[in-house]
Amino acid sequence: MIDISKLLDEIKASPYREIVISTPHTGVVTFGDLKVGDTVMGPQGQWKEKPGTRLATLERERNPKPILAPEKGEICLIHSELEGQFVEAGTPLMILRHMLTRAEVEHAILKKALHLFCAPERAKYYFIPEVEKKIRASDAHSVQVRDGMELLIMSRMKREVPLNYSGPDGVIYAIYFTINENMDAGAPLLGVCPQDQLPAIQDVIMRVQTEWTERG
Amino acid sequence: MSTLQDLYKLPLNQHKVLVANRGEIAIRIMRACAKLGLPFCAIYTAEDAASGHVRHAREHGGEKSLYRVSSYHDANELMAVADVAECTAVHPGYGFFAEDFRFARRVTKRDRKMIFIGPSWKIIRELGDKINTKRLARSLGVPTVPGSDRPIYDEVEAERIARSVFEFQEQQGIKRPLVLVKASAGGGGMGIEEVYDIDMFRSVYRRIRNYALRQFKDEGVLIEQRITDFNHLEVQIVSDRSGQHPVHFGTRNCSIQSTGLQKRIEVAPGFAPHNISYSFNAEKVLVDIVHYSLTMARKVGYDNVGTWEWIVTRNGDPFLMEVNTRIQVENGVSARISTVNNEGGVDLIAEQIRTGLGQPLGYGQEAIAFDGVGIEYRLIAEDPDNRFTPWVGRIERFSWQDQPWLTMLTHVPTDEPYEIPTEFDPNLALAIVWGKDLDEAKARGREFLDGLVLEGHNAAGDSLKSNVNFLRANTERILRF
């Protein structure tokens, strides 16, 4: 089993992550009256139903699209020279310094504790229809996986091939891929927890919940 | 605000073309624009930053000639870039929006109108629908393949049609009847499977339906007789905006395909009755399919380039398969054997742009002549021994011997390594070889393939797999039925 205390200490030493805010598509960009040093909020509310702070607006084909803060953080750079300009897709607009939340720490530690089933190749991944149905009906924890079981569909260059799971038997504890997005070779797709280790994993979660205090 | 008619009246050099595509075809469109003295604007995505089309645009484009977009599939991106770059027309290339009538309609109907370089959106809508095309063909006495005449969404109905197509073939005395199940919204050989037993039908149907839903967001499926023993022929049509005087640039034979039914070798003309003996009157078949294609083009007032695709059975019966309302990958092989008013160097993409922007074609069928045989090889990183699985990795060496009879079209740089992007089809290059007759063209084809250098490695250190041996082995059977 992993040493949780050590991991937590490591994370505590540098509890930040820099988030680069880039344009999702082309358009004319306008910034609000934010300045360097301001604190912005990510989506809030019980269901994250309240959107984050508006960082900028990107207008394309007469549709203004708000660019919202994905997480809480402090602005450390604004490319204000782009104000009013037409920009290409993927143009950096801002950098936020974000302090890790409890959920993120949990996520980071789980990634070390679970058995990771990784992408064999750069491709898009989907669950096979039966599994997809099950996940939609309840949740991923309800899906038992066995070594050699047909679990995913790998789609590359419009060609689809089935992908069998390999690794210890268990339940799917975390899903790391997004549908319709390319995953690099070696990127984790699923975190699987063997049945007998479930209590240990619950324990990890407990530790993080109690030991990690959110700040800022 | 200018109307579409005003745009058609603009002199050629006042236009600017948005090249709404990537890779090899984007380069060919940019070259055709340059030939016509037209400025252009190209686009690319993050994955394509190393593609030759980006470099070509940087080196040969003027002001506002290259923009990075989020996706080639996002029409808003294309429109936004076209406005900023002050384009007056959009060339869709092939794939992406080439056969999307909604896109073509939007380009021509929005506030700042532009010309869609392709047939008018109504014609794309009419002929882009395979089923509608089939109905139109039947009404004009043009032969079509037996099967469903609309997309099927209902499993029970699908099974009933499959059953009737099986029965029909048994009555015809066909020993191994086959039914083809394909995604109605698909194309390019993707989302097609064969069924040889009605008991298998349901599972194949479900698989194709799910595939179609994921890839095309439409679960409509077509069910047709699968004709196994056939040649795949095409007729190249060109027409100007009047839609009155379509001409043809001959026929092509695209029968040499991968197991996934994707074309690998295309040959113009479609048969060689003077060199090879056929069990049917090949000359008459070619004349017939050209005649049928032109009849349909005239009927709909076809007003740009297009391809009529045909199946020819061993008995010499042609069946219309579909109409591609766009420029095709293999247009160059027809251009290579064509002359207009005794002049070679025909460029069908330039003709498409010129007529698309409103110029009259300026010549009739009598001005077009054909000389020799053209062979087009599609060079692809794939493994023909393993169901043509795409190979992904890095190309390290890519070179060939230049020849007066060889045209190479590629977006892969030859002077630096190139990482094959996984987002698109793994086509690397098109090689068009010309000979005064079939034997010379084949000999030159082999000479080209023998001298080709194509090497690379993937992340695991395995060396590049390509279809060169497949192309070489199949050169012998070119144009043989």
Side-chain angles (χ1 to χ4, degrees), chain B residues 315-387:
Chain B
N315 303 332
D317 293 326
F319 291 120
L320 178 71
M321 210 161 45
E322 61 183 41
V323 178
N324 289 323
T325 55
R326 56 172 159 90
I327 195 75
Q328 277 188 301
V329 176
E330 58 270 28
N331 76 85
V333 75
S334 294
R336 189 66 189 79
I337 64 158
S338 306
T339 58
V340 173
N341 294 318
N342 295 317
E343 276 184 43
V346 174
D347 183 340
L348 290 176
I349 298 176
E351 292 299 83
Q352 178 191 22
I353 296 172
R354 188 175 68 77
T355 56
L357 293 176
Q359 291 215 334
L361 186 59
Y363 50 84
Q365 193 65 54
E366 68 290 344
I368 302 168
F370 303 102
D371 178 30
V373 172
I375 300 174
E376 176 175 280
Y377 294 112
R378 295 197 190 187
L379 290 175
I380 298 177
E382 63 183 3
D383 184 4
D385 298 326
N386 184 16
R387 301 185 65 233

Side-chain angles (χ1 to χ4, degrees), chain B residues 127-146:
Chain B
L127 296 178
D129 182 348
K130 289 174 197 169
I131 306 306
N132 197 37
T133 306
K134 207 166 174 178
R135 267 188 244 125
L136 175 73
R138 284 178 180 173
S139 76
L140 294 170
V142 173
T144 59
V145 181

Side-chain angles (χ1 to χ4, degrees), chain A residues 28-100:
Chain A
V28 174
V29 65
T30 43
F31 294 99
D33 45 11
L34 292 169
K35 50 190 190 305
V36 173
D38 283 356
T39 302
V40 295
M41 303 303 287
Q44 286 173 292
Q46 191 181 350
W47 300 277
K48 301 271 179 209
E49 77 282 10
K50 293 180 200 144
T53 311
R54 182 185 285 230
L55 302 176
T57 308
L58 190 60
E59 184 165 337
R60 181 186 68 171
E61 285 285 280
R62 282 179 293 174
N63 284 318
K65 179 187 184 118
I67 305 214
L68 307 173
E71 300 287 354
K72 183 176 179 177
E74 186 191 314
I75 299 176
C76 38
L77 179 74
I78 303 182
H79 288 280
S80 40
E81 72 278 7
L82 297 174
E83 174 74 27
Q85 305 243 349
F86 179 86
V87 295
E88 298 178 86
T91 308
L93 297 178
M94 262 187 207
I95 297 178
L96 299 185
R97 203 163 80 131
H98 164 69
M99 191 185 162
L100 296 177

Side-chain angles (χ1 to χ4, degrees), chain A residues 60-61 88 122 159-160, chain B residues 68 77 110 262 423:
Chain A
R60 181 186 68 171
E61 285 285 280
E88 298 178 86
R122 182 173 162 81
R159 286 152 185 83
E160 298 190 337
Chain B
R68 182 162 117 176
E77 289 287 82
R110 63 203 293 268
Q262 282 197 313
E423 284 74 16

Side-chain angles (χ1 to χ4, degrees), chain B residues 231-234 250-254 267-273 278 286 479:
Chain B
N231 265 209
H232 179 129
L233 271 78
E234 297 180 343
T251 54
R252 292 187 283 262
N253 191 318
C254 311
V267 191
F271 287 123
Y278 296 94
L286 296 183
L479 294 191

Side-chain angles (χ1 to χ4, degrees), chain B residues 92-317:
Chain B
Y94 47 69
F96 301 124
F97 288 109
E99 292 175 279
D100 185 334
F101 78 86
R102 290 180 183 88
F103 179 79
R105 185 174 61 190
R106 175 169 175 188
V107 168
T108 50
K109 293 214 167 217
R110 63 203 293 268
D111 280 355
R112 203 184 76 83
K113 295 176 177 40
M114 291 184 282
I115 293 172
F116 178 79
I117 301 180
S120 70
W121 64 268
K122 284 182 186 161
I123 291 175
I124 301 177
R125 185 175 63 180
E126 191 169 357
L127 296 178
D129 182 348
K130 289 174 197 169
I131 306 306
N132 197 37
T133 306
K134 207 166 174 178
R135 267 188 244 125
L136 175 73
R138 284 178 180 173
S139 76
L140 294 170
V142 173
T144 59
V145 181
S148 59
D149 57 5
R150 60 190 172 77
I152 307 298
Y153 294 88
D154 178 72
E155 193 165 309
V156 178
E157 187 181 2
E159 198 165 327
R160 191 171 59 235
I161 294 171
R163 235 173 247 288
S164 77
V165 175
F166 271 119
E167 278 163 19
F168 173 77
Q169 294 178 74
E170 274 152 26
Q171 284 160 19
Q172 298 266 303
I174 292 169
K175 286 204 186 71
R176 260 186 104 237
L178 281 175
V179 165
L180 206 60
V181 182
K182 54 182 175 184
S184 170
M190 308 303 299
I192 302 187
E193 268 190 67
E194 292 174 356
V195 179
Y196 47 83
D197 184 347
I198 189 73
D199 296 335
M200 276 173 55
F201 177 77
R202 204 169 273 213
S203 68
V204 173
Y205 168 80
R206 284 183 187 164
R207 188 158 58 234
I208 295 287
R209 186 191 58 191
N210 291 341
Y211 175 88
L213 188 61
R214 278 194 301 273
Q215 297 285 348
F216 313 117
K217 315 252 182 298
D218 180 311
E219 48 180 4
V221 163
L222 299 182
I223 296 140
E224 275 184 352
Q225 176 182 348
R226 166 83 163 104
I227 300 169
T228 45
D229 196 14
F230 69 91
N231 265 209
H232 179 129
L233 271 78
E234 297 180 343
V235 178
Q236 177 69 56
I237 300 291
V238 178
S239 177
D240 60 25
R241 288 295 183 202
S242 74
Q244 299 298 308
H245 320 288
V247 297
H248 72 88
F249 273 85
T251 54
R252 292 187 283 262
N253 191 318
C254 311
S255 302
I256 298 174
Q257 304 188 344
S258 69
T259 46
L261 305 182
Q262 282 197 313
K263 295 164 194 167
R264 289 296 178 265
I265 302 179
E266 294 104 341
V267 191
F271 287 123
H274 300 295
N275 297 69
I276 295 173
S277 72
Y278 296 94
S279 60
F280 52 88
N281 185 344
E283 206 146 2
K284 179 173 180 300
V285 171
L286 296 183
V287 170
D288 283 352
I289 60 174
V290 165
H291 167 74
Y292 285 138
S293 305
L294 283 171
T295 305
M296 279 181 74
R298 273 188 218 106
K299 172 76 184 172
V300 298
Y302 201 83
D303 64 348
N304 200 240
V305 300
T307 302
W308 267 248
E309 295 207 346
W310 294 86
I311 277 176
V312 177
T313 67
R314 187 167 287 281
N315 303 332
D317 293 326

Side-chain angles (χ1 to χ4, degrees), chain B residues 12 25 33 35-36 45 48 79 114 120 169 174 207 212 245 282 301 324 337 356 378 386 400 405 458 460 476:
Chain B
L12 215 48
I25 186 63
C33 286
K35 220 182 272 182
L36 297 168
T45 63
D48 250 350
M79 297 298 101
M114 291 184 282
S120 70
Q169 294 178 74
I174 292 169
R207 188 158 58 234
H245 320 288
N324 289 323
I337 64 158
R378 295 197 190 187
N386 184 16
W400 59 89
W405 42 261
N458 65 9
E476 198 37 51

